[in-house]
Amino acid sequence: MRIETVRIERRTRRIGRMQGVSRTLGVAAANRREFAKAIAALGQVRGMSTPFRGDPASEIIANFTLSTAFRELGYDRASIETALLALDLPEDLLTTPHAARLASVYRQRGELWRAVGDAHCRLREYEKSLESYATSISLPTACAGLVTIYDAA
């Protein structure tokens, strides 16, 4: 029984390393605008029996990256689905060691909701589009310097 336990532990560690490598390759490919490669690498992780085991930040980052890649390649429905998974960001994760890795996703929630609204609009789902846009404008933008408030006085 002990030998079997050791084998399972080794396999689990190996899967964890493969997930980390695939996630890193997927994010790097997206950063180079190689979106098909990003989808392939991140999709490989999703196909594993225990995707992102023990690392909730990796799952959120992967979904965020997949959403961008799907959007850029014109897969609106897939983009919406992965964006909604990325937007399901538990606030308590922002007070954990994962906070630094999630900060970028957290700051871009408004832009991601706008992209979801755009995708719904292209799919002619106008009510959902309006809901997404309403959520988007209720959130801060990633770059507050882009917003200029003019004084009417």
Side-chain angles (χ1 to χ4, degrees), residues 106-111 135-144:
Y106 184 79
R107 285 190 308 270
Q108 295 181 65
R109 291 172 303 147
E111 286 82 0
T135 303
S136 174
I137 62 172
S138 72
L139 295 167
T141 61
C143 182

Side-chain angles (χ1 to χ4, degrees), residues 101-144:
R101 292 171 51 213
L102 293 173
S104 177
V105 175
Y106 184 79
R107 285 190 308 270
Q108 295 181 65
R109 291 172 303 147
E111 286 82 0
L112 194 53
W113 274 111
R114 183 200 43 77
V116 168
D118 291 348
H120 277 302
C121 195
R122 284 189 297 274
L123 294 170
R124 297 182 179 177
E125 299 170 346
Y126 301 116
E127 290 298 320
K128 290 181 180 180
S129 180
L130 290 172
E131 291 170 12
S132 298
Y133 290 142
T135 303
S136 174
I137 62 172
S138 72
L139 295 167
T141 61
C143 182

Side-chain angles (χ1 to χ4, degrees), residues 3-21 45 48-55:
I3 293 173
E4 187 62 28
T5 303
V6 170
R7 286 182 187 157
I8 291 171
E9 289 173 0
R10 285 182 185 161
R11 184 172 183 268
T12 301
R13 282 194 299 272
R14 189 171 40 243
I15 289 171
R17 284 192 301 272
M18 289 179 350
Q19 289 172 344
V21 169
V45 178
M48 294 178 180
S49 59
T50 55
F52 308 112
R53 186 174 180 191
D55 188 0

Side-chain angles (χ1 to χ4, degrees), residues 21-111:
V21 169
S22 291
R23 184 198 70 239
T24 301
L25 290 174
V27 171
N31 287 337
R32 291 189 311 270
R33 301 191 58 78
E34 296 174 350
F35 298 114
K37 288 182 181 179
I39 291 169
L42 294 169
Q44 182 180 16
V45 178
R46 286 202 158 289
M48 294 178 180
S49 59
T50 55
F52 308 112
R53 186 174 180 191
D55 188 0
S58 285
E59 186 164 1
I60 292 166
I61 292 166
N63 286 325
F64 178 82
T65 305
L66 279 168
S67 177
T68 301
F70 284 132
R71 181 185 71 235
E72 291 293 325
L73 294 178
Y75 297 105
D76 290 326
R77 180 67 57 209
S79 176
I80 291 168
E81 290 173 7
T82 52
L84 294 176
L85 292 171
L87 287 163
D88 187 20
L89 178 65
E91 295 282 331
D92 61 333
L93 272 182
L94 298 173
T95 60
T96 68
H98 302 293
R101 292 171 51 213
L102 293 173
S104 177
V105 175
Y106 184 79
R107 285 190 308 270
Q108 295 181 65
R109 291 172 303 147
E111 286 82 0

